[in-house]
Amino acid sequence: MKVALFYHSLVSDWNHGNAHFLRGVASELQARGHDVRIFEPENSWSRENLLQDRGPEALAAFEQAFPNLTSARYSPHAFNREKWLDGINLDGIDLVLVHEWNEPQVVAALGAYRRWNPHIRVLFHDTHHRALTAEHELSRFDLSNYDGVLAYGASLKRAYENRGWGRQVHVWHEAADTRIFYPREKFRALGDVVWIGNWGDEERTQELREYFLTPVCNLKLTAQVYGVRYPPAALHELGACGISYGGWLPNFEVPEVFAGFRATVHVPRRPYTRELPGIPTIRPFEALACGIPLISAPWRDEENLFRVGHDFLMAQNRDEMQCLVRDVLHDEALAASLAESGLETIRARHTCAHRVDELLGLFAEIAPRELREEVHA
């Protein structure tokens, strides 16, 4: 099968947490023998910020980490629908996945291409909370010609259905790329606790203070933070708590960092705990796949993705977070049990291979009749 993937950026994960899953899906499709073509806009926001932050060496590091993944870059700004579609050459493509971090004109053009070419199937892939928090932004997308929407949680699926966006909406959770995310040998100790995430947009500032900064300060732990978009005030707060700041960390280097710490925490952004419950984002998948004990700030696992209390621990307030972190750091049996259970759940249910199985199963249902038997074979 020939698959076209339209991403904001394949090569950059600077403030682009979805890159982990998107790369993993592409790698899994390739491994199964499918012809995968990836398209991304030239000078994308994430790519440009990565170049400003770390220079071209960061792009070279991506190429070394993912030698089989390449993308074709196009200009969505010098936009002419017919010329652009001819230029990217979708001849022979069976399935197109369009990630939500694309320009509205690109989304519309691919939908129009679907209308003109009945042999192709086009799906819109949403991994953001703006369907509820910034509805006006999502309403700019013309999905009238799409064959369906892939929503990364049941609550997001309901939001689409309530607003009549997309003819069919399917839940398609993110998952871990276990080719990259797996337990590493603990060659050196870097500290007690690590948090990997972007500060960004004041969507969890108070939660970070409550569930990470304060427990670290009170327990006098050695801690490290990685991420981008930390304003001077945030860096000052980290320094006041004795927390080191490592800046941007390539996603494919996260497993090595996890191996140097005894535990990690998850602090979800406020929109996911309030407007879109049940969506943990990619971070818990990453941590559990690497076998590091995880303690999470509260969120509602409405779809039973994990075994809360076995795969990871969940704190309901600052004091409980402090107690749970202390317990994990002082009880080796508890830490080992969490790591083992979390890894077991990832490998049984939440790898990119599982998600590609789901994707191909969905495609088999909506594929043209002449291709349906081939997909099932």
Side-chain angles (χ1 to χ4, degrees):
M1 186 168 73
K2 294 183 178 180
V3 185
L5 308 173
F6 283 81
Y7 293 169
H8 171 74
S9 182
L10 170 73
V11 300
S12 174
D13 53 39
W14 198 98
N15 201 67
H16 181 20
N18 305 123
H20 170 177
F21 180 60
L22 301 178
R23 292 166 177 171
V25 168
S27 296
E28 182 64 27
L29 286 167
Q30 280 187 339
R32 299 189 188 197
H34 299 289
D35 181 352
V36 178
R37 304 177 191 176
I38 304 171
F39 300 91
E40 64 175 283
E42 63 183 13
N43 305 324
S44 67
W45 180 86
S46 178
R47 184 180 188 275
E48 290 301 295
N49 276 281
L50 177 60
L51 287 172
Q52 291 176 20
D53 192 343
R54 295 302 174 94
E57 296 82 7
L59 300 183
F62 163 81
E63 294 173 358
Q64 184 175 3
F66 297 93
N68 296 321
L69 292 184
T70 59
S71 60
R73 295 167 60 203
Y74 63 89
S75 173
H77 304 294
F79 189 79
N80 177 286
R81 178 175 292 177
E82 281 103 16
K83 182 178 180 181
W84 181 75
L85 288 170
D86 289 341
I88 62 174
N89 185 19
L90 293 181
D91 291 344
I93 293 292
D94 302 304
L95 174 64
V96 179
L97 262 62
V98 186
H99 190 244
E100 50 86 15
W101 201 355
N102 273 290
E103 294 296 328
Q105 66 266 31
V106 174
V107 174
L110 291 166
Y113 187 87
R114 163 66 177 95
R115 188 178 73 242
W116 304 330
N117 297 272
H119 67 279
I120 203 170
R121 296 294 180 265
V122 183
L123 298 171
F124 185 73
H125 181 204
D126 194 344
T127 58
H128 201 267
H129 56 68
R130 61 181 172 177
L132 283 172
T133 60
E135 184 178 335
H136 63 283
E137 292 186 19
L138 200 62
S139 64
R140 297 181 303 159
F141 294 144
D142 179 5
L143 304 180
S144 59
N145 295 303
Y146 278 63
D147 295 285
V149 173
L150 302 174
Y152 79 148
S155 55
L156 184 58
K157 177 179 186 289
R158 290 193 294 270
Y160 269 87
E161 291 173 336
N162 291 339
R163 289 160 177 75
W165 292 331
R167 288 185 293 192
Q168 293 184 334
V169 189
H170 310 270
V171 174
W172 199 44
H173 284 286
E174 291 187 311
D177 178 5
T178 50
R179 288 178 174 81
I180 303 295
F181 283 78
Y182 58 86
R184 302 294 208 273
E185 292 293 328
K186 298 184 181 296
F187 291 115
R188 56 185 178 138
L190 299 177
D192 297 313
V193 180
V194 62
W195 186 69
I196 299 173
N198 305 321
W199 189 268
D201 304 325
E202 298 299 319
E203 290 181 346
R204 57 182 164 203
T205 302
Q206 187 55 42
E207 290 84 351
L208 283 170
R209 294 187 182 115
E210 180 175 358
Y211 291 99
F212 180 65
L213 299 182
T214 300
V216 165
C217 283
N218 289 345
L219 294 172
K220 296 180 172 54
L221 302 178
T222 303
Q224 179 98 19
V225 164
Y226 294 91
V228 300
R229 301 179 69 193
Y230 281 70
L235 296 177
H236 176 76
E237 285 194 58
L238 293 179
C241 291
I243 300 172
S244 301
Y245 175 60
W248 171 74
L249 178 70
N251 182 256
F252 49 84
E253 292 183 8
V254 167
E256 295 288 349
V257 169
F258 277 153
F261 289 86
R262 300 164 64 196
T264 187
V265 298
H266 174 51
V267 184
R269 292 174 183 262
R270 203 171 303 125
Y272 294 110
T273 60
R274 296 182 180 178
E275 284 86 359
L276 289 173
I279 297 177
T281 71
I282 194 66
R283 299 303 182 187
F285 296 104
E286 292 181 342
L288 300 185
C290 291
I292 184 173
L294 169 68
I295 308 100
S296 178
W299 61 279
R300 301 199 302 275
D301 188 6
E302 294 186 343
E303 298 178 65
N304 297 313
L305 297 174
F306 305 107
R307 300 168 296 184
V308 180
H310 296 278
D311 298 335
F312 66 89
L313 303 179
M314 186 179 292
Q316 298 302 320
N317 53 56
R318 181 193 64 192
D319 292 340
E320 190 170 333
M321 172 64 85
Q322 186 168 308
C323 289
L324 292 177
V325 170
R326 183 182 59 212
D327 290 346
V328 169
L329 295 181
H330 287 83
D331 187 337
E332 292 184 5
L334 172 61
S337 175
L338 290 171
E340 182 180 352
S341 295
L343 183 58
E344 177 184 60
T345 293
I346 292 295
R347 289 176 172 173
R349 302 178 56 197
H350 301 308
T351 70
C352 287
H354 290 103
R355 299 301 181 260
V356 168
D357 285 341
E358 295 167 6
L359 177 64
L360 296 180
L362 170 61
F363 180 71
E365 295 176 3
I366 66 174
R369 184 180 300 273
E370 61 273 15
L371 191 58
R372 202 169 297 165
E373 293 182 1
E374 179 181 328
V375 174
H376 279 298

